[in-house]
Amino acid sequence: MRTALALLLVFPIGAASPLLVAVVPDLPGPGPGDEGFAIGCVEACDLTGYSVTDGESSWTFPPGLLLAAGESMWVVGNRTPWEAHDGPTPLFAASNLPRLGNDGDNLALIGPDGAILDALDFGDGTEFDPPVSPGLVLQRLRSSIGWQDTDSADDWRTPRLHRIGESDLARTTFEVERLTLYASPDSSFDALSTLIASARERLHLHVYEFRSAALADAVVAAKQANPSLDVQVLVDANPVGAGQDDRHATADALRRIEAVGGIAVLAGNGRYDDHHLKVLVADDAVAVQSENWVPSGVPQDPSWGNRGWGAIVHDDAMADWFVQWMEADRNAWDVQPFDLASYDPTFTVPAREAARTGPYGPPVAAKDLVGRFRVTPVVAPDHTQDPRLDSIAILAGHATQRLHVQQLDLSTSGRNALGWSGSDPLADAFVAAQEGGAQVRVLAAAPFSADDTDNAESLDWLAQRDVAGATFDRSGLVLHNKGLVADGTVVVGSLNGNLHSRAQNREVALIVESSEAADYFQGLFESDWSGQSTPRDWSVPGKDLRGLPLAPWPMLLALLGVVATRVRRWS
């Protein structure tokens, strides 16, 4: 049967026939009968008389089961574990479904006349060999014109490894009237601590790492000052590279927040590889940034730390939208309440980090903007899973005047365990903007180690296509940013420039359409690119970001530095 199904993939299948559009071989946990599959209809169809088989057993659809054009329906073997893992609906439960092998099997859709109409043959070294992973959803590619049906395994090679219980957020844009722009290390601590202190109703934080004792102090103080304040914190349970001291610091922050009545939960990796976002909702304001809540990401002293960008959007509709899906994330099946004993069995109260200073400065103040601005949240992987529809890449590729980028992790291509591979849409966008006449400059983070060559290789690839690039090198700072300025628009957030960040992580970025906001971050970029101690304010000719006149010689020297950097990169 397996050979017959494999051969079937090369023969045409009627486009109007029902299709297998998704398969879940196994749910997390030991429960039996936890397989499921989805059937979809290109045109309205009656599934009476249709059946599915794995070559060993079969199951027939009940009479009168109707699906509208473009509609799909899940059929599952056991409703209880499916619902416990937030499986998609609508669904039909049938206890006698064919049992699918977790490491490989086949499933065929049979028409009323006994003809094989569609089939999926996966695993065990077949043409389509996905990883064995509980909760993995094998999903047929779908676009605006319908499900892809080329009768090949490529129909099932998605850039995203789908997981049971994942969200499916619609794209949305908000018209807002107030923004607060800030940066690390310059103003992030003041911006966040002020926002926390202002909260009266809700304080919801989702962040990859939380080790800042000072920011934990701010959250605790806000809750103590207002016991009715709704404090909810989600932190990734296992950040990459976190050691024992890091775990102690996180445990200390979470236990103190819980001690005053806040709620803390730990996000696992059942739905997303990493909960890598950095989002705070305080009443009707949403802060999105590139930096974790750690001493280097949000330093109290602005003379050292990470370079990152952030923005606070003051808008009740946008805050409510964030609160809704953030609550769903906290209630998901792969999230557990924080428990000190299990999270950190060897916990000891960490010593407070000594005051630290560095050579960076003078700091650039945060900036409030009042007017009318369009802000589009980009939530990964919901909005970024398809490289063809990546809104940030589309924005970058259409830049006509300036495209200035800071990125922790650049990539020029991507691939995954489903066999999908392709070029990176953001790197392609840099080249497209350069070819379209925009001034494109890319600053990438320095290597993490001697064998870390990814950014260097990406910069070389860009240089071969006449895109100016450089490795970030500024005393007192480490580049951790994931931002860009494209003409009169700026992007701030946690999204790295690689497939994994877009397709497998929970991430958040904001596309902010505002020439003033773009000019603010343009000034910071110019400071980092040229080495000026005080960046120019691009919204006020001849002024720096403190409002003081710019001296001509530093600007001239900075310009010469830019030229020299380009010559070195192109040679």
Side-chain angles (χ1 to χ4, degrees), residues 393-419:
I394 292 171
L395 168 71
H398 285 83
T400 59
Q401 299 174 356
R402 61 182 177 185
L403 178 60
H404 298 153
V405 182
Q406 288 190 336
Q407 259 292 345
L408 172 66
D409 189 19
L410 284 171
S411 179
T412 60
S413 62
R415 59 185 57 85
N416 66 25
L418 297 176

Side-chain angles (χ1 to χ4, degrees), residues 159 173 340:
T173 295
L340 179 62

Side-chain angles (χ1 to χ4, degrees), residues 162-515:
H162 290 271
R163 302 284 183 176
I164 197 73
E166 64 192 19
S167 61
D168 186 18
L169 299 176
R171 298 172 186 261
T172 186
T173 295
F174 297 91
E175 300 282 346
V176 308
E177 296 181 353
R178 182 185 167 203
L179 303 169
T180 300
L181 315 175
Y182 63 94
S184 284
D186 305 72
S187 55
S188 56
F189 184 83
D190 286 344
L192 290 179
S193 58
T194 299
L195 185 62
I196 293 168
S198 72
R200 295 295 177 266
E201 296 180 358
R202 59 190 180 192
L203 201 59
H204 296 178
L205 169 68
H206 288 202
V207 65
Y208 186 53
E209 294 186 86
F210 190 175
R211 303 197 310 270
S212 170
L215 288 175
D217 289 344
V219 175
V220 169
K223 180 66 173 174
Q224 288 175 324
N226 181 9
S228 65
L229 181 65
D230 178 24
V231 176
Q232 306 274 348
V233 178
L234 177 146
V235 177
D236 193 278
N238 294 292
V240 175
Q244 187 178 62
D245 290 343
D246 298 329
R247 207 167 187 84
H248 292 338
T250 299
D252 188 49
L254 298 184
R255 75 173 183 89
R256 292 198 292 123
I257 289 170
E258 283 199 333
V260 296
I263 296 174
V265 298
L266 301 171
N269 60 357
R271 299 182 307 141
Y272 312 109
D273 284 359
D274 297 293
H275 285 255
H276 192 250
L277 70 174
K278 293 91 179 174
V279 174
L280 172 68
V281 176
D283 291 346
D284 293 335
V286 182
V288 173
Q289 62 187 41
S290 59
E291 301 314 294
N292 286 299
W293 283 37
V294 300
S296 59
V298 188
Q300 287 182 273
D301 188 298
S303 65
W304 73 284
N306 292 351
R307 165 60 83 218
W309 297 350
I312 301 171
V313 181
H314 304 267
D315 184 76
D316 55 351
M318 183 165 145
D320 289 343
W321 184 81
F322 268 82
V323 163
Q324 185 175 15
W325 66 258
M326 289 168 68
E327 181 181 13
D329 274 5
R330 291 194 304 275
N331 293 329
W333 66 267
D334 61 340
V335 174
Q336 299 295 325
F338 168 73
D339 176 72
L340 179 62
S342 58
Y343 176 75
D344 191 4
T346 63
F347 174 75
T348 56
V349 177
R352 289 289 179 123
E353 186 175 275
R356 180 174 173 181
T357 60
Y360 172 74
V364 174
K367 186 169 186 175
D368 276 312
L369 298 179
V370 177
R372 294 191 64 83
F373 314 102
R374 285 170 54 88
V375 179
T376 302
V378 179
V379 181
D382 307 55
H383 302 154
T384 58
Q385 59 184 300
D386 187 342
R388 300 167 298 178
L389 301 176
D390 188 306
S391 54
I392 295 176
I394 292 171
L395 168 71
H398 285 83
T400 59
Q401 299 174 356
R402 61 182 177 185
L403 178 60
H404 298 153
V405 182
Q406 288 190 336
Q407 259 292 345
L408 172 66
D409 189 19
L410 284 171
S411 179
T412 60
S413 62
R415 59 185 57 85
N416 66 25
L418 297 176
W420 183 92
S421 62
S423 63
D424 188 275
L426 195 60
D428 290 342
F430 299 161
V431 176
Q434 173 72 21
E435 293 175 345
Q439 181 197 52
V440 183
R441 292 183 289 175
V442 180
L443 268 176
F448 290 107
S449 60
D451 59 353
D452 176 18
T453 61
D454 290 350
N455 282 351
E457 292 172 358
S458 295
L459 289 175
D460 286 343
W461 184 89
L462 291 170
Q464 293 168 14
R465 290 154 180 81
D466 294 333
V467 176
T471 298
F472 186 90
D473 183 12
R474 189 166 186 189
S475 181
L477 297 186
V478 173
L479 180 63
H480 192 258
N481 197 17
K482 300 96 177 170
L484 62 84
V485 174
D487 295 340
T489 300
V490 64
V491 176
V492 300
S494 65
L495 267 164
N496 283 302
N498 58 58
L499 175 68
H500 184 267
S501 189
R502 300 188 196 97
Q504 299 308 132
N505 286 353
R506 175 62 100 200
E507 309 271 10
V508 175
L510 298 178
I511 299 175
V512 181
E513 299 176 45
S514 163
S515 58

